[in-house]
Amino acid sequence: MATLVDNQGWPEIAIEEIADVNPRVDKASIPDDLPVSFVPMPAVGAADGTIHVEETRPASKVKKGFTAFLEGDVLFAKITPCMENGKMAVVPALVNGYGFGSTEFHVLRPKPGMDAKYLYYYVSSQSFRREAERHMTGAVGQRRVPTTYLKECKIPVAPLDQQKRIVAEIEKQFSRLDEAVANLKRVKANLKRYKAAVLKAAVSGRLVETEAELARREGRSYETGGQLLQRILETRRSQWKGKGKYKEPAAPDTTDLPELPEGWVWASLDELSDVVRGGSPRPAGDPRYFGGPVPWITVGPLTADESDYLHRVPEGLTFEGKERSRYIEPDTLLLTNSGATLGVPKISLIGGCINDGVAALLGVGYPLKRYLVNFLRTKTMTLRRINQGAAQPNLNTSIIKAMIVPLPPEAEQHQIVAEVDLRLSLLRETEAQVDANFRRAERMRQSILSRAFSGELINESTFLYTTAAASAI
């Protein structure tokens, strides 16, 4: 039944009265060899109304098992998380006039007197999606918006001429927002490039004045990177408590490496640290080993954010599980070595057990530990391109050990770490402001839609136009 919206007198009408929901298409009339547009779920943008219809398939391949639609229909993703993410769009011109796509789309075909874009903007609004989410049914991960619920949802229906004015005003204001958001994205990209440039400069001797230059100007001697490396090796040798005879770490082959700044030296991670890999208690999920108080450090917590430190983890092992894993002390440098997010370095501020997707670089002190975090961040993408033929990206400890590090004097490391921290701190503040503006833009977008369907948007537009005209007179 239709009800009235107080402020405009617009009736609120069930969607099934103003649009055909999941209408049938006469598939038998479509020649089997006719190319038609094919729209999988990824072809529809999230909360931006974009849709790509360039992909084609023979009609015979999509008549069965796919959702059919026509130009001017509104596609509405019904499954989680696509619905919550706003995968909705108005269908543009299609190849030969027909489209087929994911069975996870509801199709809304506006009836006469209903503007497709008006309907799209209403059902794609955040408030509509949030309410639809509350009415989803099905198992976790497979929850969907029921057809019955969608049919019964009510929409404030303005007269057609006002619908078109509302759509035009929405798109005018969205266009301004889109320009602002595009500028924010450019700023975000520039900040990302700046961060990469800072880290690259830090590990190539171009971020701060080198210790060699400072010592020469001040007329003093200094410990070079080579002397530091020898000190590290002697300390590791003297403190060896492992099984069997101490094995000297492998020195890197520097034949084809570029020249380093004065006072720097090439070193392998094998020389600078004791690289070990974690281990998972077996069988996985055994209640004897999991669900206890010992922090369980996996790839997930290490890649949850872009900070350099790990503060907490959501899971734990029992003390029996601890004996079947590898425990690391607080303040240990870790590196993810498995999955799509491998190559992420982080210093764990907590002690805990690491699983087999994580490597630990033991025996590294300050400031080298912080310097290595900066260095490893410059190598993340390089590490991810390494393919060992496994089902998923994976780094064994031999690859990590063989990584070659440009090692500056320890005094210079202190200066590099301090300068990187300062610059990235300022960068994070700017990023936070940009992210706040992204959120503000989204709030403004939803506010525009809210005002549009209460009639306020075209009233504001009319008022501004009348005022401007009166001023001109």
Side-chain angles (χ1 to χ4, degrees):
M1 296 292 294
T3 58
L4 295 180
V5 179
D6 293 340
N7 59 349
Q8 290 294 324
W10 296 346
E12 282 195 339
I13 304 176
I15 285 178
E16 65 178 342
E17 295 183 40
I18 52 89
D20 294 320
V21 180
N22 298 324
R24 293 183 178 276
V25 172
D26 183 9
K27 298 178 182 179
S29 66
I30 307 174
D32 285 347
D33 60 350
L34 186 73
V36 295
S37 292
F38 183 72
V39 182
M41 187 64 74
V44 176
D48 61 9
T50 58
I51 178 172
H52 299 284
V53 297
E54 297 80 11
E55 183 181 347
T56 63
R57 294 187 183 182
S60 61
K61 301 293 185 182
V62 293
K63 282 184 180 181
K64 294 182 180 180
F66 293 97
T67 298
F69 46 84
L70 303 176
E71 178 182 343
D73 289 348
V74 176
L75 297 185
F76 181 97
K78 59 186 175 184
I79 193 168
T80 190
C82 301
M83 192 284 294
E84 297 94 314
N85 292 339
K87 281 182 169 282
M88 294 95 183
V90 177
V91 178
L94 300 167
V95 175
N96 291 314
Y98 295 101
F100 291 81
S102 169
T103 57
E104 301 298 349
F105 286 124
H106 281 310
V107 178
L108 308 179
R109 184 166 298 156
K111 294 180 179 180
M114 197 70 207
D115 186 272
K117 286 188 175 180
Y118 182 92
L119 177 58
Y120 156 73
Y121 281 121
Y122 187 80
V123 299
S124 66
S125 67
Q126 196 173 80
S127 59
F128 185 90
R129 285 183 276 133
R130 283 177 176 169
E131 188 63 22
E133 182 182 2
R134 292 180 57 245
H135 290 82
M136 295 177 100
T137 59
V140 175
Q142 292 291 313
R143 301 178 69 241
R144 295 174 174 85
V145 177
T147 303
T148 302
Y149 168 77
L150 193 60
K151 285 181 176 181
E152 295 175 351
C153 285
K154 293 185 177 181
I155 173 174
V157 180
L160 184 59
D161 63 325
Q162 291 188 35
Q163 290 180 36
K164 294 184 181 298
R165 285 178 55 201
I166 288 168
V167 167
E169 189 63 27
I170 288 172
E171 294 186 340
K172 182 175 75 174
Q173 297 203 28
F174 275 15
S175 177
R176 295 169 181 164
L177 267 181
D178 290 341
E179 184 178 351
V181 168
N183 288 332
L184 290 173
K185 288 180 178 178
R186 282 192 287 272
V187 171
K188 192 90 169 178
N190 287 337
L191 291 174
K192 186 176 181 179
R193 284 192 287 270
Y194 174 73
K195 179 179 181 179
V198 168
L199 293 175
K200 186 175 181 180
V203 298
S204 59
R206 295 182 287 106
L207 189 66
V208 300
E209 189 173 11
T210 67
E211 185 65 11
E213 293 167 342
L214 281 172
R216 189 160 41 249
R217 189 173 67 248
E218 296 169 2
R220 60 173 174 82
S221 62
Y222 71 100
E223 182 188 54
T224 66
Q227 291 168 332
L228 169 63
L229 176 60
Q230 291 306 310
R231 180 159 60 85
I232 291 172
L233 291 172
E234 290 170 4
T235 300
R236 291 187 60 194
R237 191 181 302 114
S238 65
Q239 295 180 352
W240 169 250
K241 295 179 181 179
K243 297 179 180 179
K245 185 179 179 182
Y246 177 74
K247 183 180 179 181
E248 292 288 344
D253 180 1
T254 61
T255 305
D256 298 321
L257 295 178
E259 184 178 354
L260 289 172
E262 183 181 356
W264 290 45
V265 69
W266 292 108
S268 67
L269 277 181
D270 193 24
E271 291 178 301
L272 299 177
S273 65
D274 182 16
V275 181
V276 299
R277 188 168 186 164
S280 300
R282 295 290 187 266
D286 191 314
R288 294 174 297 171
Y289 309 137
F290 297 88
V294 182
W296 178 228
I297 302 171
T298 60
V299 172
L302 289 174
T303 56
D305 55 55
E306 294 189 358
S307 69
D308 290 342
Y309 299 97
L310 178 67
H311 298 272
R312 55 184 290 274
V313 295
E315 299 179 278
L317 296 181
T318 62
F319 290 108
E320 188 173 356
K322 175 184 175 182
E323 298 303 315
R324 292 174 172 265
S325 183
R326 183 183 292 276
Y327 185 84
I328 56 101
E329 298 292 338
D331 204 31
T332 296
L333 175 56
L334 304 177
L335 181 70
T336 59
N337 60 19
S338 181
T341 53
L342 63 75
V344 174
K346 194 160 289 191
I347 296 172
S348 177
L349 298 183
I350 58 173
C353 292
I354 57 174
N355 81 339
D356 43 15
V358 180
L361 281 64
L362 306 177
V364 184
Y366 186 86
L368 180 57
K369 190 180 306 179
R370 291 288 298 119
Y371 174 80
L372 287 178
V373 168
N374 297 332
F375 166 75
L376 290 168
R377 287 197 180 279
T378 70
K379 297 298 180 181
T380 298
M381 298 313 299
T382 300
L383 291 174
R384 290 178 185 174
R385 286 192 291 267
I386 296 174
N387 184 357
Q388 299 181 103
Q392 66 174 356
N394 182 64
L395 296 176
N396 57 39
T397 54
S398 62
I399 292 175
I400 300 172
K401 289 178 178 180
M403 292 182 68
I404 303 175
V405 182
L407 183 67
E410 186 170 84
E412 193 170 335
Q413 290 177 35
H414 279 282
Q415 298 302 316
I416 291 171
V417 167
E419 186 65 21
V420 169
D421 286 349
L422 173 62
R423 296 198 189 194
L424 296 193
S425 174
L426 296 173
L427 182 144
R428 282 190 291 271
E429 290 178 10
T430 305
E431 282 183 327
Q433 293 173 359
V434 171
D435 290 340
N437 284 330
F438 273 123
R439 293 190 294 272
R440 181 169 177 266
E442 182 55 30
R443 289 195 299 272
M444 291 178 66
R445 193 179 301 273
Q446 297 307 315
S447 175
I448 289 168
L449 292 177
S450 177
R451 299 201 312 277
F453 294 104
S454 65
E456 296 176 28
L457 195 63
I458 54 173
N459 286 345
E460 292 169 3
S461 176
T462 302
F463 173 77
L464 291 173
Y465 174 80
T466 306
T467 302
S471 299
I473 295 170

